[in-house]
Amino acid sequence: MRVYMTNSPLKKWKSKIATFKVSFKELGIALLIIAFATFPYLHDILPLSKSETFHGFSSMRVFSFMLLINVYSHLGWLIAFFLAKGKSYRFALLVPIGLSAYQISIILFNLKKTELNSINIKFILFITLSLFVVIHYFKNAKR
């Protein structure tokens, strides 16, 4: 006669080794996310130089910080736009995308001290772009 003990401390447990199946696409996306997350901190790699100015900024390091922090936020808005496919608010994400692209071009082309960087132009651009996007959306909305 055999006796089966179900809760025996001597019972041997088979350990399973976890295996991860990751595609190259998923790995690439994960590495891109990590790379984009480092954008605001890349300016720390540049050496400090207090005497030279670059594109209207006090140094190359300040320029790279301002540029990369704006690129970082622009990428966030782009990702939000692509993830919002089929959502009713997707059209509104075009406004911050346009404004962040505008700010990046102001920094890149050294237009800080021009009229294109004044508060009036930015405010008018913001209102105009917002109205255009809203009117275009509701004009073409499927009902």
Side-chain angles (χ1 to χ4, degrees), residues 36-92:
F36 291 153
T38 62
F39 274 14
Y41 309 106
L42 290 179
H43 74 283
D44 289 331
I45 296 172
L46 298 173
L48 275 173
S49 62
K50 296 180 181 182
S51 61
E52 107 184 32
T53 62
F54 189 82
H55 275 289
F57 292 95
S58 60
S59 68
M60 174 70 162
R61 192 171 176 180
V62 175
F63 166 78
S64 65
F65 175 72
M66 293 303 294
L67 178 65
L68 290 174
I69 200 92
N70 281 286
V71 170
Y72 178 73
S73 69
H74 184 69
L75 288 172
W77 286 115
L78 284 174
I79 291 169
F81 179 76
F82 287 116
L83 291 177
K85 285 185 181 174
K87 306 286 185 192
S88 61
Y89 58 85
R90 184 177 192 221
F91 74 95

